[in-house]
Amino acid sequence: MRIFDPHIHMSSRTTDDYERMHAAGVRALVEPAFWLGQPRTSVGSFVDYFDGLVGWEPFRAGQFGIRHFCTMALNPKEAGDPRCRPVLELLPRYLEKDGVVAVGEVGYDSMTPEEDEVFAHQLALAVDHDLPALVHTPHRDKAAGTRRSLDVVRESGIPPERVVIDHLNEVTVGLVAGSGCWMGFSIYPDTKMDEDRMVAILREHGTERMLVNSAADWGRSDPLKTRRTGEAMLAGGFTEADVDQVLWHNPVAFYGQSGRLVLDEEPVDSGALFAGNSVLRGGRS
């Protein structure tokens, strides 16, 4: 089983996690920019953090045979902090970096006017830099937050196939399924989604435009939840090809739209990707 985790915060994990992930089949991942667990006090802390995402973390992952990519953004949780807003002026320089494959996480935390403004601004940056966008749906009032996120995406003019709406569940997946956007699901030990619920959603909605991630971070989370979801899919009657599509082909197809996804030294050409269980450049491990 080969795995591409499309959303995991490795800056909060140890090298032991990289080793365990490689043993479980993880060969590539995307680390979205997020908050540090406590408020940042200056823009300089973003510079150091962003530099780590494009420098140190790819090196650390590479030591364990894993390709590391990232997304850049001002996280929704920090959008209302005036000390953080100037980071929007820094983002364009980071959005040109080779390993940056999307703008994200953007979206909502508390659905404030400040978050509206920052969300729209960063979707405009995605359009300007020809990058996909990773959208974070709020932890509270998820249905309203998901509807509002889809409205902002439509208003931005970014093509829906270049957007993933993340942290979905049974209540919100139907809202996104007909939008043309990709559907993202975070598999957690206690909250968000679990493996069996994910299998049920895949049975109902199919495997196309589905991204399954561990979203592992500072809290109680598990970087092997992608593997466990693949095993649950097989136990639930899905084929190995189905698992390969969800855990490898789909994230390669989505992030390949950036033109910067390099796997086995070959950049993925999003124009060469097509639906179903077709072969995608990227190499097997």
Side-chain angles (χ1 to χ4, degrees):
M1 188 183 298
R2 60 179 178 171
I3 299 168
F4 188 136
D5 192 330
H7 184 154
I8 182 169
H9 301 289
M10 292 308 298
S11 295
S12 65
R13 312 302 300 191
T14 68
T15 50
D16 289 347
D17 288 318
Y18 274 124
E19 189 170 25
R20 292 167 58 228
M21 290 163 65
H22 185 272
V26 177
R27 295 296 180 267
L29 62 85
V30 168
E31 177 164 3
F34 80 139
W35 73 307
L36 292 180
Q38 65 182 31
R40 288 180 171 95
T41 58
S42 72
V43 173
S45 64
F46 282 95
V47 173
D48 294 336
Y49 173 56
F50 290 167
D51 286 347
L53 288 183
V54 296
W56 170 241
E57 283 304 324
F59 170 75
R60 197 162 70 113
Q63 291 179 306
F64 296 91
I66 297 175
R67 291 278 185 171
H68 179 286
F69 306 94
C70 67
T71 74
M72 292 288 183
L74 175 60
N75 192 275
K77 203 171 185 70
E78 298 169 306
D81 189 333
R83 295 172 298 181
C84 299
R85 290 290 288 272
V87 77
L88 296 175
E89 300 171 14
L90 295 176
L91 280 174
R93 98 180 191 209
Y94 285 99
L95 295 178
E96 292 298 321
K97 301 287 186 181
D98 287 341
V100 178
V101 294
V103 175
E105 298 175 58
V106 299
Y108 290 115
D109 180 52
S110 301
M111 291 187 284
T112 64
E114 291 82 5
E115 290 172 18
D116 281 327
E117 182 183 345
V118 172
F119 187 6
H121 179 92
Q122 294 188 103
L123 286 180
L125 286 177
V127 172
D128 290 345
H129 292 267
D130 196 24
L131 288 172
L134 167 63
V135 176
H136 169 98
T137 53
H139 302 293
R140 301 169 298 280
D141 202 0
K142 289 192 75 69
T146 301
R147 291 190 191 95
R148 191 158 163 181
S149 297
L150 289 169
D151 287 342
V152 176
V153 167
R154 280 190 289 269
E155 292 165 3
S156 74
I158 188 172
E161 66 271 16
R162 295 176 68 84
V163 176
V164 56
I165 309 293
D166 211 348
H167 307 313
L168 298 178
N169 58 23
E170 296 89 343
V171 174
T172 54
V173 60
L175 299 173
V176 181
S179 70
C181 296
W182 289 68
M183 295 159 278
F185 300 86
S186 302
I187 315 301
Y188 264 47
D190 299 319
T191 60
K192 296 188 169 104
M193 291 288 295
D194 65 26
E195 302 93 314
D196 294 332
R197 291 165 60 197
M198 189 68 238
V199 169
I201 283 179
L202 290 169
R203 280 203 194 97
E204 180 177 356
H205 293 279
T207 59
E208 292 187 6
R209 291 188 290 119
M210 293 287 191
L211 299 181
V212 171
N213 61 68
S214 69
D217 56 17
W218 306 105
R220 186 162 188 266
S221 47
D222 182 354
L224 304 186
K225 279 296 187 182
T226 48
R227 171 80 190 201
R228 302 190 205 289
T229 300
E231 291 169 345
M233 288 178 66
L234 293 174
F238 284 92
T239 67
E240 291 185 2
D242 293 329
V243 173
D244 200 41
Q245 176 164 347
V246 171
L247 296 185
W248 184 264
H249 288 303
N250 284 357
V252 169
F254 179 73
Y255 287 113
Q257 295 178 101
S258 69
R260 301 177 186 172
L261 200 67
V262 179
L263 300 166
D264 287 354
E265 305 303 332
E266 286 292 328
V268 173
D269 177 4
S270 61
L273 305 178
F274 50 96
N277 294 326
S278 56
V279 176
L280 303 183
R281 288 193 292 165
R284 294 179 180 269
S285 298

